[in-house]
Short mmCIF file of all heavy atoms in Angstrom, two decimals:
data_model
loop_
_atom_site.label_atom_id
_atom_site.label_comp_id
_atom_site.label_asym_id
_atom_site.label_seq_id
_atom_site.Cartn_x
_atom_site.Cartn_y
_atom_site.Cartn_z
N MET A 271 23.46 -64.02 -10.25
CA MET A 271 22.73 -62.93 -9.85
C MET A 271 22.19 -62.20 -10.93
O MET A 271 22.81 -62.05 -11.97
CB MET A 271 23.65 -61.95 -9.07
CG MET A 271 24.03 -62.27 -7.65
SD MET A 271 25.00 -61.01 -6.94
CE MET A 271 24.64 -61.29 -5.17
N THR A 272 20.81 -61.77 -10.83
CA THR A 272 20.22 -61.05 -11.87
C THR A 272 20.59 -59.55 -11.75
O THR A 272 20.64 -59.05 -10.55
CB THR A 272 18.71 -61.37 -11.94
OG1 THR A 272 18.20 -60.93 -10.60
CG2 THR A 272 18.44 -62.75 -12.23
N SER A 273 20.48 -58.82 -12.80
CA SER A 273 20.63 -57.45 -12.85
C SER A 273 19.58 -56.73 -12.22
O SER A 273 18.45 -57.04 -12.57
CB SER A 273 20.97 -56.95 -14.20
OG SER A 273 21.25 -55.48 -14.24
N ASN A 274 19.70 -55.78 -11.30
CA ASN A 274 18.65 -55.03 -10.78
C ASN A 274 19.02 -53.49 -10.64
O ASN A 274 18.29 -52.72 -9.98
CB ASN A 274 18.25 -55.55 -9.28
CG ASN A 274 19.29 -55.39 -8.31
OD1 ASN A 274 20.32 -54.96 -8.59
ND2 ASN A 274 18.96 -55.98 -7.06
N VAL A 275 19.98 -52.96 -11.30
CA VAL A 275 20.46 -51.64 -11.30
C VAL A 275 20.45 -51.23 -12.73
O VAL A 275 21.09 -51.69 -13.60
CB VAL A 275 21.92 -51.44 -10.70
CG1 VAL A 275 22.34 -49.96 -10.72
CG2 VAL A 275 21.86 -52.00 -9.28
N GLY A 276 19.67 -50.20 -13.05
CA GLY A 276 19.45 -49.61 -14.35
C GLY A 276 20.72 -48.70 -14.73
O GLY A 276 21.53 -48.38 -13.96
N SER A 277 20.56 -48.31 -15.91
CA SER A 277 21.78 -47.49 -16.49
C SER A 277 22.03 -46.12 -15.78
O SER A 277 23.07 -45.74 -15.48
CB SER A 277 21.72 -47.34 -17.92
OG SER A 277 20.46 -46.67 -18.35
N ILE A 278 20.91 -45.45 -15.59
CA ILE A 278 20.93 -44.13 -14.97
C ILE A 278 21.36 -44.29 -13.44
O ILE A 278 22.27 -43.52 -13.03
CB ILE A 278 19.56 -43.34 -15.01
CG1 ILE A 278 19.28 -43.09 -16.40
CG2 ILE A 278 19.67 -42.12 -14.06
CD1 ILE A 278 17.86 -42.34 -16.55
N ASP A 279 20.92 -45.33 -12.92
CA ASP A 279 21.28 -45.51 -11.49
C ASP A 279 22.73 -46.00 -11.36
O ASP A 279 23.53 -45.63 -10.46
CB ASP A 279 20.37 -46.85 -10.97
CG ASP A 279 20.51 -47.01 -9.41
OD1 ASP A 279 21.26 -46.20 -8.75
OD2 ASP A 279 19.94 -47.94 -8.93
N ARG A 280 23.24 -46.65 -12.44
CA ARG A 280 24.69 -47.12 -12.50
C ARG A 280 25.61 -45.86 -12.59
O ARG A 280 26.63 -45.77 -12.02
CB ARG A 280 24.88 -47.94 -13.60
CG ARG A 280 24.41 -49.49 -13.34
CD ARG A 280 24.70 -50.36 -14.51
NE ARG A 280 26.19 -50.42 -14.68
CZ ARG A 280 26.68 -50.76 -15.89
NH1 ARG A 280 25.99 -50.93 -17.00
NH2 ARG A 280 27.94 -50.96 -15.97
N VAL A 281 25.23 -44.92 -13.45
CA VAL A 281 25.96 -43.74 -13.71
C VAL A 281 25.96 -42.95 -12.51
O VAL A 281 27.11 -42.43 -12.05
CB VAL A 281 25.33 -42.92 -14.88
CG1 VAL A 281 26.06 -41.55 -14.91
CG2 VAL A 281 25.59 -43.60 -16.14
N LEU A 282 24.83 -42.74 -11.73
CA LEU A 282 24.87 -42.09 -10.52
C LEU A 282 25.69 -42.64 -9.47
O LEU A 282 26.48 -41.97 -8.67
CB LEU A 282 23.37 -41.83 -9.99
CG LEU A 282 22.52 -40.98 -10.94
CD1 LEU A 282 21.06 -40.86 -10.48
CD2 LEU A 282 23.17 -39.53 -10.96
N ARG A 283 25.59 -43.94 -9.40
CA ARG A 283 26.59 -44.71 -8.33
C ARG A 283 27.90 -44.66 -8.62
O ARG A 283 28.71 -44.37 -7.69
CB ARG A 283 26.07 -46.21 -8.40
CG ARG A 283 24.69 -46.61 -7.68
CD ARG A 283 24.40 -47.99 -7.92
NE ARG A 283 23.15 -48.36 -7.43
CZ ARG A 283 23.00 -48.84 -6.14
NH1 ARG A 283 24.04 -49.06 -5.45
NH2 ARG A 283 21.78 -49.09 -5.72
N ALA A 284 28.37 -44.73 -9.86
CA ALA A 284 29.75 -44.59 -10.23
C ALA A 284 30.33 -43.16 -10.01
O ALA A 284 31.32 -43.01 -9.37
CB ALA A 284 29.91 -45.02 -11.67
N ALA A 285 29.42 -42.17 -10.27
CA ALA A 285 29.79 -40.77 -9.99
C ALA A 285 29.98 -40.57 -8.54
O ALA A 285 31.03 -39.91 -8.10
CB ALA A 285 28.78 -39.81 -10.69
N LEU A 286 28.97 -41.02 -7.78
CA LEU A 286 29.07 -40.86 -6.32
C LEU A 286 30.30 -41.53 -5.67
O LEU A 286 31.04 -41.00 -4.79
CB LEU A 286 27.77 -41.30 -5.63
CG LEU A 286 27.71 -41.19 -4.18
CD1 LEU A 286 27.91 -39.80 -3.70
CD2 LEU A 286 26.44 -41.93 -3.62
N GLY A 287 30.53 -42.77 -6.17
CA GLY A 287 31.71 -43.50 -5.76
C GLY A 287 32.92 -42.84 -5.98
O GLY A 287 33.94 -42.67 -5.19
N LEU A 288 33.16 -42.27 -7.24
CA LEU A 288 34.32 -41.48 -7.58
C LEU A 288 34.55 -40.25 -6.73
O LEU A 288 35.68 -39.85 -6.30
CB LEU A 288 34.47 -41.18 -9.12
CG LEU A 288 34.59 -42.49 -10.03
CD1 LEU A 288 34.37 -41.97 -11.42
CD2 LEU A 288 35.80 -43.00 -9.76
N VAL A 289 33.39 -39.57 -6.50
CA VAL A 289 33.43 -38.35 -5.73
C VAL A 289 33.80 -38.58 -4.26
O VAL A 289 34.67 -37.93 -3.73
CB VAL A 289 32.04 -37.55 -5.71
CG1 VAL A 289 31.93 -36.44 -4.68
CG2 VAL A 289 31.78 -36.99 -7.06
N LEU A 290 33.29 -39.64 -3.75
CA LEU A 290 33.69 -40.06 -2.39
C LEU A 290 35.12 -40.45 -2.16
O LEU A 290 35.79 -40.17 -1.33
CB LEU A 290 32.80 -41.18 -1.88
CG LEU A 290 31.28 -40.72 -1.52
CD1 LEU A 290 30.43 -41.98 -1.22
CD2 LEU A 290 31.32 -39.78 -0.31
N LEU A 291 35.59 -41.19 -3.12
CA LEU A 291 37.04 -41.58 -3.14
C LEU A 291 37.94 -40.38 -3.24
O LEU A 291 38.97 -40.23 -2.66
CB LEU A 291 37.29 -42.65 -4.15
CG LEU A 291 36.80 -43.98 -3.97
CD1 LEU A 291 36.95 -44.96 -5.17
CD2 LEU A 291 37.43 -44.63 -2.62
N TYR A 292 37.53 -39.48 -4.12
CA TYR A 292 38.26 -38.19 -4.36
C TYR A 292 38.25 -37.36 -3.01
O TYR A 292 39.43 -36.93 -2.68
CB TYR A 292 37.59 -37.34 -5.41
CG TYR A 292 38.28 -35.98 -5.57
CD1 TYR A 292 39.46 -35.73 -6.19
CD2 TYR A 292 37.64 -34.80 -4.95
CE1 TYR A 292 40.04 -34.49 -6.16
CE2 TYR A 292 38.14 -33.66 -5.01
CZ TYR A 292 39.43 -33.44 -5.58
OH TYR A 292 40.02 -32.19 -5.67
N LEU A 293 37.17 -37.30 -2.43
CA LEU A 293 37.16 -36.63 -1.10
C LEU A 293 37.97 -37.14 -0.08
O LEU A 293 38.58 -36.49 0.77
CB LEU A 293 35.64 -36.31 -0.72
CG LEU A 293 34.73 -35.38 -1.43
CD1 LEU A 293 33.41 -35.52 -1.06
CD2 LEU A 293 35.28 -34.00 -1.44
N ALA A 294 37.94 -38.47 0.02
CA ALA A 294 38.56 -39.24 1.05
C ALA A 294 40.08 -39.14 0.89
O ALA A 294 40.88 -39.04 1.88
CB ALA A 294 38.13 -40.64 1.07
N PHE A 295 40.67 -39.13 -0.33
CA PHE A 295 42.12 -39.43 -0.52
C PHE A 295 42.73 -38.27 -1.18
O PHE A 295 44.04 -38.13 -1.01
CB PHE A 295 42.46 -40.63 -1.31
CG PHE A 295 41.92 -41.88 -0.51
CD1 PHE A 295 40.99 -42.73 -1.04
CD2 PHE A 295 42.59 -42.24 0.68
CE1 PHE A 295 40.52 -43.94 -0.28
CE2 PHE A 295 42.19 -43.40 1.43
CZ PHE A 295 41.25 -44.22 0.99
N VAL A 296 42.10 -37.51 -2.07
CA VAL A 296 42.85 -36.48 -2.80
C VAL A 296 42.46 -35.08 -2.39
O VAL A 296 43.36 -34.10 -2.48
CB VAL A 296 42.48 -36.65 -4.39
CG1 VAL A 296 43.15 -35.56 -5.21
CG2 VAL A 296 42.90 -38.05 -4.78
N SER A 297 41.29 -34.78 -1.98
CA SER A 297 40.93 -33.34 -1.68
C SER A 297 41.61 -32.61 -0.66
O SER A 297 41.88 -31.47 -0.91
CB SER A 297 39.37 -33.32 -1.36
OG SER A 297 39.15 -33.92 -0.08
N GLY A 298 42.09 -33.21 0.34
CA GLY A 298 42.84 -32.56 1.42
C GLY A 298 41.87 -31.73 2.19
O GLY A 298 42.26 -30.87 3.14
N LEU A 299 40.53 -31.90 2.19
CA LEU A 299 39.65 -31.20 3.04
C LEU A 299 39.90 -31.57 4.57
O LEU A 299 40.10 -32.71 4.78
CB LEU A 299 38.26 -31.32 2.67
CG LEU A 299 37.69 -30.86 1.28
CD1 LEU A 299 36.37 -31.27 0.99
CD2 LEU A 299 37.76 -29.38 1.29
N GLU A 300 39.67 -30.63 5.35
CA GLU A 300 40.05 -30.85 6.78
C GLU A 300 38.90 -31.82 7.40
O GLU A 300 39.24 -32.63 8.25
CB GLU A 300 39.81 -29.46 7.49
CG GLU A 300 40.27 -29.58 8.98
CD GLU A 300 40.14 -28.19 9.62
OE1 GLU A 300 40.69 -27.22 8.99
OE2 GLU A 300 39.50 -28.10 10.73
N GLN A 301 37.62 -31.75 6.84
CA GLN A 301 36.73 -32.79 7.40
C GLN A 301 37.06 -34.24 7.12
O GLN A 301 36.71 -35.08 7.93
CB GLN A 301 35.35 -32.46 6.68
CG GLN A 301 34.66 -31.21 6.96
CD GLN A 301 35.20 -30.09 6.06
OE1 GLN A 301 36.04 -30.23 5.32
NE2 GLN A 301 34.53 -28.91 6.18
N PHE A 302 37.81 -34.47 6.08
CA PHE A 302 38.15 -35.88 5.75
C PHE A 302 39.49 -36.27 6.39
O PHE A 302 40.15 -37.27 5.97
CB PHE A 302 38.17 -36.15 4.23
CG PHE A 302 36.73 -36.11 3.65
CD1 PHE A 302 36.21 -34.96 3.19
CD2 PHE A 302 35.99 -37.31 3.71
CE1 PHE A 302 34.88 -34.95 2.69
CE2 PHE A 302 34.65 -37.24 3.29
CZ PHE A 302 34.19 -36.18 2.73
N ALA A 303 40.10 -35.40 7.24
CA ALA A 303 41.30 -35.85 7.91
C ALA A 303 41.02 -36.86 8.99
O ALA A 303 42.06 -37.62 9.25
CB ALA A 303 41.91 -34.53 8.47
N ALA A 304 39.91 -36.81 9.59
CA ALA A 304 39.52 -37.77 10.69
C ALA A 304 39.49 -39.16 10.00
O ALA A 304 38.70 -39.37 9.02
CB ALA A 304 38.23 -37.39 11.25
N PRO A 305 40.12 -40.21 10.58
CA PRO A 305 40.18 -41.48 10.02
C PRO A 305 38.70 -42.14 9.82
O PRO A 305 38.45 -42.83 8.76
CB PRO A 305 40.93 -42.31 10.99
CG PRO A 305 41.75 -41.39 11.78
CD PRO A 305 40.91 -40.09 11.77
N LEU A 306 37.81 -41.93 10.76
CA LEU A 306 36.50 -42.54 10.67
C LEU A 306 35.78 -41.97 9.38
O LEU A 306 35.20 -42.79 8.52
CB LEU A 306 35.67 -42.20 11.75
CG LEU A 306 34.25 -42.83 11.82
CD1 LEU A 306 34.28 -44.35 11.83
CD2 LEU A 306 33.39 -42.29 13.10
N LEU A 307 35.78 -40.74 9.11
CA LEU A 307 35.12 -40.17 7.94
C LEU A 307 35.85 -40.54 6.68
O LEU A 307 35.25 -40.75 5.65
CB LEU A 307 34.94 -38.61 8.09
CG LEU A 307 34.02 -37.91 7.14
CD1 LEU A 307 32.68 -38.54 7.12
CD2 LEU A 307 34.02 -36.42 7.45
N LYS A 308 37.15 -40.46 6.75
CA LYS A 308 37.97 -40.68 5.60
C LYS A 308 37.83 -42.18 4.98
O LYS A 308 37.54 -42.36 3.84
CB LYS A 308 39.43 -40.46 5.94
CG LYS A 308 40.38 -40.79 4.69
CD LYS A 308 41.84 -40.41 5.12
CE LYS A 308 42.77 -40.43 3.92
NZ LYS A 308 44.13 -40.05 4.25
N TYR A 309 37.85 -43.07 5.89
CA TYR A 309 37.83 -44.51 5.45
C TYR A 309 36.30 -44.89 5.37
O TYR A 309 36.06 -45.69 4.61
CB TYR A 309 38.62 -45.38 6.46
CG TYR A 309 40.12 -45.17 6.34
CD1 TYR A 309 40.63 -44.64 7.49
CD2 TYR A 309 40.79 -45.38 5.22
CE1 TYR A 309 42.07 -44.36 7.45
CE2 TYR A 309 42.12 -45.00 5.16
CZ TYR A 309 42.79 -44.58 6.19
OH TYR A 309 44.11 -44.25 6.16
N GLY A 310 35.41 -44.25 6.06
CA GLY A 310 34.04 -44.47 5.86
C GLY A 310 33.65 -44.02 4.38
O GLY A 310 32.93 -44.83 3.66
N ALA A 311 34.09 -42.95 4.01
CA ALA A 311 33.80 -42.44 2.76
C ALA A 311 34.34 -43.35 1.72
O ALA A 311 33.74 -43.62 0.57
CB ALA A 311 34.13 -40.93 2.50
N ALA A 312 35.67 -43.73 1.90
CA ALA A 312 36.33 -44.72 0.94
C ALA A 312 35.60 -45.97 0.78
O ALA A 312 35.39 -46.44 -0.35
CB ALA A 312 37.72 -44.91 1.40
N ILE A 313 35.06 -46.50 1.95
CA ILE A 313 34.40 -47.84 1.84
C ILE A 313 33.06 -47.68 1.05
O ILE A 313 32.76 -48.55 0.15
CB ILE A 313 34.09 -48.36 3.31
CG1 ILE A 313 35.45 -48.87 3.84
CG2 ILE A 313 33.11 -49.48 3.22
CD1 ILE A 313 35.41 -49.22 5.33
N VAL A 314 32.40 -46.56 1.40
CA VAL A 314 31.11 -46.33 0.69
C VAL A 314 31.40 -46.21 -0.85
O VAL A 314 30.59 -46.67 -1.69
CB VAL A 314 30.28 -45.19 1.28
CG1 VAL A 314 29.02 -44.80 0.43
CG2 VAL A 314 29.85 -45.55 2.71
N GLY A 315 32.45 -45.35 -1.20
CA GLY A 315 32.72 -45.23 -2.45
C GLY A 315 33.09 -46.50 -3.25
O GLY A 315 32.59 -46.62 -4.42
N VAL A 316 33.82 -47.29 -2.62
CA VAL A 316 34.12 -48.62 -3.30
C VAL A 316 32.96 -49.39 -3.47
O VAL A 316 32.76 -50.11 -4.46
CB VAL A 316 35.17 -49.52 -2.43
CG1 VAL A 316 35.39 -50.82 -2.90
CG2 VAL A 316 36.59 -48.65 -2.56
N VAL A 317 32.10 -49.49 -2.55
CA VAL A 317 30.82 -50.14 -2.63
C VAL A 317 29.94 -49.64 -3.71
O VAL A 317 29.38 -50.36 -4.64
CB VAL A 317 30.06 -50.19 -1.24
CG1 VAL A 317 28.59 -50.75 -1.46
CG2 VAL A 317 30.73 -51.03 -0.21
N MET A 318 29.88 -48.41 -3.78
CA MET A 318 29.05 -47.76 -4.93
C MET A 318 29.66 -48.17 -6.37
O MET A 318 29.01 -48.42 -7.25
CB MET A 318 29.11 -46.20 -4.86
CG MET A 318 28.27 -45.65 -3.72
SD MET A 318 26.56 -45.89 -4.18
CE MET A 318 25.92 -46.38 -2.62
N LEU A 319 30.99 -47.99 -6.47
CA LEU A 319 31.64 -48.44 -7.75
C LEU A 319 31.42 -49.83 -8.09
O LEU A 319 31.17 -50.24 -9.17
CB LEU A 319 33.14 -48.01 -7.72
CG LEU A 319 33.46 -46.62 -7.85
CD1 LEU A 319 35.01 -46.49 -7.48
CD2 LEU A 319 33.14 -46.09 -9.21
N SER A 320 31.53 -50.76 -6.99
CA SER A 320 31.31 -52.16 -7.27
C SER A 320 30.00 -52.47 -7.69
O SER A 320 29.77 -53.38 -8.54
CB SER A 320 31.89 -53.03 -6.17
OG SER A 320 31.05 -52.75 -4.97
N THR A 321 28.92 -51.93 -6.97
CA THR A 321 27.61 -52.20 -7.40
C THR A 321 27.24 -51.60 -8.82
O THR A 321 26.45 -52.27 -9.49
CB THR A 321 26.55 -51.69 -6.42
OG1 THR A 321 26.82 -50.23 -6.27
CG2 THR A 321 26.78 -52.44 -4.99
N ALA A 322 27.89 -50.58 -9.09
CA ALA A 322 27.70 -50.04 -10.55
C ALA A 322 28.23 -50.99 -11.53
O ALA A 322 27.72 -51.24 -12.63
CB ALA A 322 28.24 -48.58 -10.60
N ALA A 323 29.45 -51.54 -11.32
CA ALA A 323 30.13 -52.42 -12.18
C ALA A 323 29.49 -53.78 -12.25
O ALA A 323 29.36 -54.26 -13.39
CB ALA A 323 31.59 -52.57 -11.70
N MET A 324 28.89 -54.26 -11.20
CA MET A 324 28.24 -55.61 -11.24
C MET A 324 26.80 -55.49 -11.68
O MET A 324 26.18 -56.51 -11.87
CB MET A 324 28.37 -56.20 -9.89
CG MET A 324 29.79 -56.61 -9.51
SD MET A 324 29.92 -57.53 -8.02
CE MET A 324 29.12 -56.48 -6.81
N LYS A 325 26.28 -54.37 -11.71
CA LYS A 325 24.76 -54.09 -11.99
C LYS A 325 23.90 -54.78 -11.01
O LYS A 325 22.70 -55.14 -11.43
CB LYS A 325 24.54 -54.54 -13.46
CG LYS A 325 25.33 -54.01 -14.51
CD LYS A 325 24.81 -54.61 -15.84
CE LYS A 325 25.76 -54.18 -17.06
NZ LYS A 325 25.32 -54.79 -18.32
N THR A 326 24.34 -55.04 -9.81
CA THR A 326 23.58 -55.66 -8.89
C THR A 326 23.83 -54.98 -7.52
O THR A 326 24.91 -54.71 -6.93
CB THR A 326 24.02 -57.29 -8.64
OG1 THR A 326 23.73 -57.79 -9.97
CG2 THR A 326 23.07 -57.88 -7.67
N CYS A 327 22.71 -54.71 -6.82
CA CYS A 327 22.70 -54.17 -5.56
C CYS A 327 22.05 -55.08 -4.47
O CYS A 327 20.93 -55.47 -4.60
CB CYS A 327 22.01 -52.75 -5.47
SG CYS A 327 21.95 -52.06 -3.78
N PRO A 328 22.87 -55.55 -3.49
CA PRO A 328 22.31 -56.56 -2.66
C PRO A 328 20.97 -55.97 -1.80
O PRO A 328 20.06 -56.63 -1.46
CB PRO A 328 23.39 -56.82 -1.67
CG PRO A 328 24.65 -56.50 -2.46
CD PRO A 328 24.17 -55.39 -3.26
N LEU A 329 21.09 -54.76 -1.46
CA LEU A 329 19.95 -54.06 -0.75
C LEU A 329 18.66 -53.96 -1.70
O LEU A 329 17.54 -54.24 -1.20
CB LEU A 329 20.27 -52.72 -0.23
CG LEU A 329 21.15 -52.61 1.03
CD1 LEU A 329 21.40 -51.10 1.30
CD2 LEU A 329 20.55 -53.38 2.11
N TYR A 330 18.92 -53.79 -2.91
CA TYR A 330 17.76 -53.75 -3.88
C TYR A 330 17.05 -55.23 -3.84
O TYR A 330 15.92 -55.27 -3.91
CB TYR A 330 18.24 -53.37 -5.33
CG TYR A 330 18.33 -51.90 -5.46
CD1 TYR A 330 18.18 -50.91 -4.51
CD2 TYR A 330 18.48 -51.43 -6.86
CE1 TYR A 330 18.39 -49.60 -4.75
CE2 TYR A 330 18.57 -50.04 -7.04
CZ TYR A 330 18.49 -49.27 -6.14
OH TYR A 330 18.57 -47.87 -6.37
N SER A 331 18.05 -56.25 -3.89
CA SER A 331 17.50 -57.62 -3.92
C SER A 331 16.54 -57.92 -2.72
O SER A 331 15.60 -58.48 -2.76
CB SER A 331 18.69 -58.61 -3.96
OG SER A 331 19.42 -58.37 -5.15
N VAL A 332 17.02 -57.39 -1.47
CA VAL A 332 16.39 -57.65 -0.27
C VAL A 332 15.01 -56.91 -0.28
O VAL A 332 14.06 -57.53 0.21
CB VAL A 332 17.28 -57.13 0.95
CG1 VAL A 332 16.50 -57.11 2.22
CG2 VAL A 332 18.51 -58.03 1.17
N PHE A 333 14.92 -55.72 -0.71
CA PHE A 333 13.70 -55.01 -0.77
C PHE A 333 12.87 -55.11 -1.92
O PHE A 333 11.91 -54.57 -2.11
CB PHE A 333 13.97 -53.50 -0.49
CG PHE A 333 14.52 -53.23 0.87
CD1 PHE A 333 15.81 -52.73 1.12
CD2 PHE A 333 13.74 -53.49 1.91
CE1 PHE A 333 16.30 -52.59 2.35
CE2 PHE A 333 14.16 -53.25 3.17
CZ PHE A 333 15.47 -52.73 3.46
N GLY A 334 13.34 -55.99 -3.00
CA GLY A 334 12.65 -56.18 -4.12
C GLY A 334 12.54 -55.09 -5.21
O GLY A 334 11.67 -54.91 -5.92
N ILE A 335 13.59 -54.13 -5.10
CA ILE A 335 13.60 -52.90 -5.92
C ILE A 335 14.45 -53.34 -7.23
O ILE A 335 15.37 -54.06 -7.16
CB ILE A 335 14.33 -51.81 -5.25
CG1 ILE A 335 13.55 -51.36 -3.95
CG2 ILE A 335 14.36 -50.56 -6.15
CD1 ILE A 335 14.27 -50.36 -3.10
N LYS A 336 13.87 -52.81 -8.32
CA LYS A 336 14.62 -53.02 -9.63
C LYS A 336 14.58 -51.89 -10.42
O LYS A 336 13.41 -51.39 -10.79
CB LYS A 336 13.97 -54.25 -10.33
CG LYS A 336 14.70 -54.77 -11.51
CD LYS A 336 14.07 -56.13 -11.82
CE LYS A 336 14.95 -56.83 -12.83
NZ LYS A 336 14.45 -58.14 -13.26
N THR A 337 15.70 -51.26 -10.93
CA THR A 337 15.65 -50.04 -11.67
C THR A 337 16.00 -50.16 -13.13
O THR A 337 16.02 -49.38 -13.85
CB THR A 337 16.60 -48.88 -11.06
OG1 THR A 337 17.97 -49.41 -11.07
CG2 THR A 337 16.17 -48.61 -9.67
N CYS A 338 16.24 -51.48 -13.45
CA CYS A 338 16.57 -51.80 -14.86
C CYS A 338 15.32 -52.38 -15.47
O CYS A 338 14.39 -52.85 -14.88
CB CYS A 338 17.68 -52.84 -15.00
SG CYS A 338 17.40 -54.32 -14.22
N LYS A 339 15.21 -52.11 -16.74
CA LYS A 339 14.02 -52.48 -17.53
C LYS A 339 14.15 -53.86 -18.16
O LYS A 339 13.09 -54.58 -18.28
CB LYS A 339 13.84 -51.49 -18.64
CG LYS A 339 13.44 -50.08 -18.19
CD LYS A 339 13.29 -49.15 -19.35
CE LYS A 339 13.01 -47.80 -18.95
NZ LYS A 339 12.81 -46.73 -19.84
N VAL A 340 15.36 -54.32 -18.37
CA VAL A 340 15.53 -55.72 -18.96
C VAL A 340 16.12 -56.63 -18.01
O VAL A 340 17.10 -56.24 -17.26
CB VAL A 340 16.31 -55.53 -20.30
CG1 VAL A 340 16.66 -56.93 -20.90
CG2 VAL A 340 15.86 -54.62 -21.18
N ASP A 341 15.64 -57.92 -17.99
CA ASP A 341 16.28 -58.89 -17.06
C ASP A 341 17.69 -59.14 -17.50
O ASP A 341 18.52 -59.58 -17.87
CB ASP A 341 15.52 -60.06 -16.92
CG ASP A 341 14.21 -59.81 -16.12
OD1 ASP A 341 14.24 -58.99 -15.26
OD2 ASP A 341 13.14 -60.58 -16.31
#
């Protein structure tokens, strides 16, 4: 797979992933007590972290989007 996620995009994805995981499991907010929202946020958080780590986003590939400057 070729890289299609740039550095700023990676940082934002990683930050969003960490925030979502924090909200789902640590924050104790009443909104995240419902299993659907809690585990939904956790799944999206893990996906964000993994796409940031792999430098590849499958949806970017489908739509032909590329935020990195170097192949």
